[in-house]
Amino acid sequence: AGGGGGEGDGGVDGLDEGRLFVRNLPYSSSEPELQELFGAFGRVDELLLPLDAETRRAKGFAHVTFSICEHAVRAMSELDGSTFQGRILHVMPGRARARPAAEAGGAAGGTSSFKRKREEAQKAQAGSSHNWNPLFMRADAVGEAMAERYGVDKRQVLDSEGGGSLAVRLAQGETHLLSRAREWLPPPPAHRL
């Protein structure tokens, strides 16, 4: 049982767990009305009808969980495309619930597989010397160094009413400071291939 809602999430879709996602619901619909509609197909364990925080009305979609997945399959096949309170329902398999981190086998707990993979790739590249600039300077540090170098108050350097763009002045100042710092630092070791 269960059609193609599970690609890319590790296999099991919500239909295997009896979960359905229902959209295009009337904003005036209520949980008892949906309980009656879906209850005709079998025991409903959970029905979530999110409400808008401001209007306290339904958002137009719901999550329905049946105790037996075959009931969910039957409800989906019979209600998808049917009319409910003047609106055509779209019923599809719901997403499988997130498993706890220990059960899922990951330390990230509750994060998507994409996010977990991205974090692992970032951790792997963190030690690489070409991924960070040891000479990075914050804008306020550049402003202070420029003020000290030219013997003026930091306010004068950061004054936006002065000539030109503040961002350009800071970028030029940072470039100058970094070129001077590179003169003082020993050259990096040659990379061996």
Side-chain angles (χ1 to χ4, degrees), residues 35 54 90 95 110 118-119 121 127 131 145 156 164 168 177 192:
Q35 183 72 39
E54 293 177 19
H90 298 283
R95 289 190 179 161
R118 186 181 66 201
E119 288 173 352
N131 286 334
Q156 290 174 304
V168 171
L177 291 169
R192 295 183 186 149

Tab-separated table of all heavy atoms in Angstrom, residues 35 54 90 95 110 118-119 121 127 131 145 156 164 168 177 192:
chain	number	residue	atom	x	y	z
A	35	GLN	N	-14.009	14.996	11.287
A	35	GLN	CA	-14.048	13.713	11.993
A	35	GLN	C	-15.188	12.863	11.432
A	35	GLN	O	-15.018	11.665	11.194
A	35	GLN	CB	-14.244	13.953	13.491
A	35	GLN	CG	-14.232	12.701	14.332
A	35	GLN	CD	-12.849	12.080	14.453
A	35	GLN	OE1	-11.859	12.779	14.575
A	35	GLN	NE2	-12.780	10.774	14.402
A	54	GLU	N	-4.502	34.822	13.846
A	54	GLU	CA	-5.242	36.071	13.938
A	54	GLU	C	-6.750	35.871	13.840
A	54	GLU	O	-7.504	36.406	14.643
A	54	GLU	CB	-4.773	37.034	12.843
A	54	GLU	CG	-3.350	37.498	13.038
A	54	GLU	CD	-2.878	38.387	11.905
A	54	GLU	OE1	-3.722	38.925	11.162
A	54	GLU	OE2	-1.656	38.551	11.769
A	90	HIS	N	-8.457	17.838	-2.063
A	90	HIS	CA	-7.245	17.189	-2.562
A	90	HIS	C	-6.691	16.390	-1.388
A	90	HIS	O	-6.242	16.960	-0.399
A	90	HIS	CB	-6.225	18.208	-3.054
A	90	HIS	CG	-6.715	19.024	-4.199
A	90	HIS	ND1	-6.774	18.539	-5.481
A	90	HIS	CD2	-7.204	20.285	-4.250
A	90	HIS	CE1	-7.265	19.465	-6.276
A	90	HIS	NE2	-7.529	20.542	-5.557
A	95	ARG	N	3.157	13.143	5.120
A	95	ARG	CA	4.556	12.813	5.381
A	95	ARG	C	4.645	11.950	6.621
A	95	ARG	O	3.895	12.131	7.570
A	95	ARG	CB	5.371	14.069	5.604
A	95	ARG	CG	5.576	14.853	4.357
A	95	ARG	CD	6.569	15.940	4.593
A	95	ARG	NE	6.772	16.681	3.350
A	95	ARG	CZ	7.284	17.878	3.289
A	95	ARG	NH1	7.654	18.482	4.391
A	95	ARG	NH2	7.440	18.476	2.145
A	110	GLY	N	15.749	15.231	14.266
A	110	GLY	CA	14.660	16.015	13.738
A	110	GLY	C	15.034	16.901	12.558
A	110	GLY	O	14.188	17.555	12.009
A	118	ARG	N	24.426	18.691	4.585
A	118	ARG	CA	25.102	19.973	4.419
A	118	ARG	C	25.986	20.276	5.624
A	118	ARG	O	27.121	20.735	5.478
A	118	ARG	CB	24.074	21.084	4.216
A	118	ARG	CG	24.723	22.434	3.884
A	118	ARG	CD	23.706	23.519	3.719
A	118	ARG	NE	23.085	23.722	5.025
A	118	ARG	CZ	21.916	24.286	5.220
A	118	ARG	NH1	21.214	24.685	4.203
A	118	ARG	NH2	21.427	24.450	6.426
A	119	GLU	N	25.476	20.014	6.834
A	119	GLU	CA	26.270	20.249	8.047
A	119	GLU	C	27.502	19.357	8.079
A	119	GLU	O	28.584	19.799	8.460
A	119	GLU	CB	25.410	20.024	9.287
A	119	GLU	CG	24.383	21.110	9.512
A	119	GLU	CD	23.419	20.787	10.642
A	119	GLU	OE1	23.440	19.649	11.163
A	119	GLU	OE2	22.628	21.680	10.988
A	121	ALA	N	29.112	18.162	5.466
A	121	ALA	CA	30.050	18.679	4.469
A	121	ALA	C	30.759	19.921	4.986
A	121	ALA	O	31.974	20.081	4.781
A	121	ALA	CB	29.314	19.005	3.168
A	127	GLY	N	38.310	22.455	8.447
A	127	GLY	CA	39.745	22.465	8.684
A	127	GLY	C	40.557	22.907	7.492
A	127	GLY	O	41.758	23.154	7.609
A	131	ASN	N	39.247	27.904	3.330
A	131	ASN	CA	37.865	28.232	3.654
A	131	ASN	C	37.704	29.403	4.607
A	131	ASN	O	36.600	29.802	4.899
A	131	ASN	CB	37.161	27.021	4.255
A	131	ASN	CG	36.847	25.992	3.216
A	131	ASN	OD1	36.708	26.321	2.046
A	131	ASN	ND2	36.758	24.744	3.619
A	145	ALA	N	41.270	51.314	13.193
A	145	ALA	CA	42.631	51.310	12.645
A	145	ALA	C	42.831	52.481	11.690
A	145	ALA	O	43.906	53.118	11.689
A	145	ALA	CB	42.904	49.987	11.932
A	156	GLN	N	34.809	60.588	12.586
A	156	GLN	CA	35.082	61.231	11.301
A	156	GLN	C	35.237	60.185	10.194
A	156	GLN	O	34.833	60.412	9.065
A	156	GLN	CB	36.345	62.096	11.397
A	156	GLN	CG	36.152	63.329	12.260
A	156	GLN	CD	37.453	64.072	12.434
A	156	GLN	OE1	38.438	63.500	12.886
A	156	GLN	NE2	37.450	65.350	12.055
A	164	GLY	N	31.680	60.436	-0.395
A	164	GLY	CA	31.706	59.043	-0.810
A	164	GLY	C	30.924	58.110	0.104
A	164	GLY	O	30.380	58.500	1.123
A	168	VAL	N	32.453	51.884	0.804
A	168	VAL	CA	33.636	51.944	-0.055
A	168	VAL	C	34.849	52.365	0.758
A	168	VAL	O	35.941	51.794	0.629
A	168	VAL	CB	33.390	52.905	-1.241
A	168	VAL	CG1	34.676	53.157	-2.020
A	168	VAL	CG2	32.323	52.345	-2.162
A	177	LEU	N	44.887	47.937	5.013
A	177	LEU	CA	45.369	47.310	6.248
A	177	LEU	C	45.817	45.873	6.013
A	177	LEU	O	46.838	45.423	6.552
A	177	LEU	CB	44.290	47.357	7.321
A	177	LEU	CG	43.958	48.752	7.874
A	177	LEU	CD1	42.711	48.694	8.728
A	177	LEU	CD2	45.140	49.296	8.656
A	192	ARG	N	52.059	21.138	-1.324
A	192	ARG	CA	52.649	20.009	-2.040
A	192	ARG	C	51.548	19.182	-2.680
A	192	ARG	O	50.559	18.884	-2.063
A	192	ARG	CB	53.456	19.141	-1.092
A	192	ARG	CG	54.640	19.864	-0.534
A	192	ARG	CD	55.446	18.956	0.345
A	192	ARG	NE	56.500	19.745	0.965
A	192	ARG	CZ	56.999	19.502	2.128
A	192	ARG	NH1	56.564	18.482	2.833
A	192	ARG	NH2	57.954	20.251	2.609
